[in-house]
């Protein structure tokens, strides 16, 4: 079992966003091996999203939004090298693919821009809810020592809501004041997370005692811990002495 602390960058793609779509994400993930190439994972992420919509004729800012969000997912990880080349816990480069389901909470606010129908920077409307989501992507781990690895990951999340930017409907002319004749936008928002992190092993692999895998792992771990002086055996002056195992 391992725990990964991570942080990075998110990019939001929705109806309100033409530019300035990036912000930050932080979180943690717990991963547990279930077989040689499948792991179960639980992840908690959170941060901020933002974006700006540009008025097409003038190129000026029409509206913009920001939110805070928290995402909780459970899912699985597939490690193709373990499947193709055989299990090796201390593999230096370990790519993987992942698929998850879960929930996302968000609290979003939409504001008027300089080309909007309302006063600039005034709040237009807000939204807050918990919505189901599906996420998927890939990543890789880089072995540093028996207890620590570096991690990079990219994921795409599809929440089953169209209000993470609050912009699920819009109005022609001044209809927004009375909220009559709403025009629906395209369904669903999408966002991507790009993260880097550090993985800490808190419980050794359940496959550690299997003779089929144990020898390679033992050799790599032993080489890491041995000092330089111990890796180079001393010359024996007495050739009549032998070392038995």
């Amino acid at each position: 079992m391992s725990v990964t602390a991570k942080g990075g960058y998110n990019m939001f793609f929705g109806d309100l966003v033409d530019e300035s779509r990036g912000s930050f994400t932080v979180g943690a993930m717990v991963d547990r091996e279930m077989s040689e190439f499948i792991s179960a994972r639980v992840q908690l992420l959170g941060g901020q999203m933002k974006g700006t919509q540009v008025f097409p004729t003038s190129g000026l800012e029409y509206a913009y939004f920001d939110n805070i969000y928290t995402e909780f997912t459970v899912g699985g990880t597939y490690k193709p090298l373990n499947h193709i080349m055989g299990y090796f816990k201390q593999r230096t480069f370990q790519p993987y693919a992942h698929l998850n389901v879960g929930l996302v909470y968000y609290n979003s606010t939409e504001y008027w821009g300089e080309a909007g129908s309302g006063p600039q920077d005034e709040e237009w409307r807000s939204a807050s809810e918990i919505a189901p989501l599906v996420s998927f992507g890939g990543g890789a781990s880089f072995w540093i020592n028996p207890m620590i690895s570096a991690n990079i990951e990219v994921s795409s999340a599809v929440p089953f809501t169209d209000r993470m930017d609050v912009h699920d409907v819009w109005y022609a002319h001044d209809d927004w004041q009375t909220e009559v004749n709403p025009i629906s936008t395209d369904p669903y928002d999408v966002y991507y997370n790009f993260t880097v992190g550090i993985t800490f092993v808190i419980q050794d692999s359940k496959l550690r005692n299997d003779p089929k895998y144990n020898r390679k792992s033992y050799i790599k771990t032993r080489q890491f811990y041995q000092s330089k002086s111990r890796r180079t055996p001393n010359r024996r002056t007495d050739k009549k002495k032998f070392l038995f195992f």
Side-chain angles (χ1 to χ4, degrees), residues 30 67 70 86 101-102 119 121 123 129 152 155 167 178-179 189 198 205 210 219 223 234-235 245:
V30 177
N67 75 15
T70 302
V101 295
D121 298 326
E123 180 180 326
E129 69 171 324
I152 61 171
S155 64
H167 203 79
T178 55
E179 297 187 351
D189 296 320
I198 297 293
S205 166
D210 192 320
I219 291 173
Q223 289 173 344
N234 295 327
R235 287 185 180 176
F245 294 92

Side-chain angles (χ1 to χ4, degrees), residues 100-113:
N100 318 274
V101 295
L103 299 170
V104 60
Y105 163 80
Y106 64 88
N107 190 331
S108 305
T109 305
E110 183 177 5
Y111 304 90
W112 292 113

Side-chain angles (χ1 to χ4, degrees), residues 36-51:
E36 292 92 335
F37 49 86
I38 298 292
S39 296
R41 56 186 263 160
V42 177
Q43 181 169 257
L44 181 66
L45 295 177
Q48 182 187 50
M49 296 178 185
K50 62 180 182 178

Side-chain angles (χ1 to χ4, degrees), residues 177-214:
Q177 294 176 322
T178 55
E179 297 187 351
V180 298
N181 303 318
I183 302 171
S184 297
T185 61
D186 294 332
Y188 306 126
D189 296 320
V190 176
Y191 60 92
Y192 296 85
N193 281 313
F194 307 87
T195 60
V196 296
I198 297 293
T199 300
F200 303 91
V201 176
I202 59 174
Q203 183 180 355
D204 206 356
S205 166
K206 69 174 186 175
L207 303 170
R208 66 190 183 279
N209 293 322
D210 192 320
K212 186 172 157 184
Y213 312 120
N214 199 37

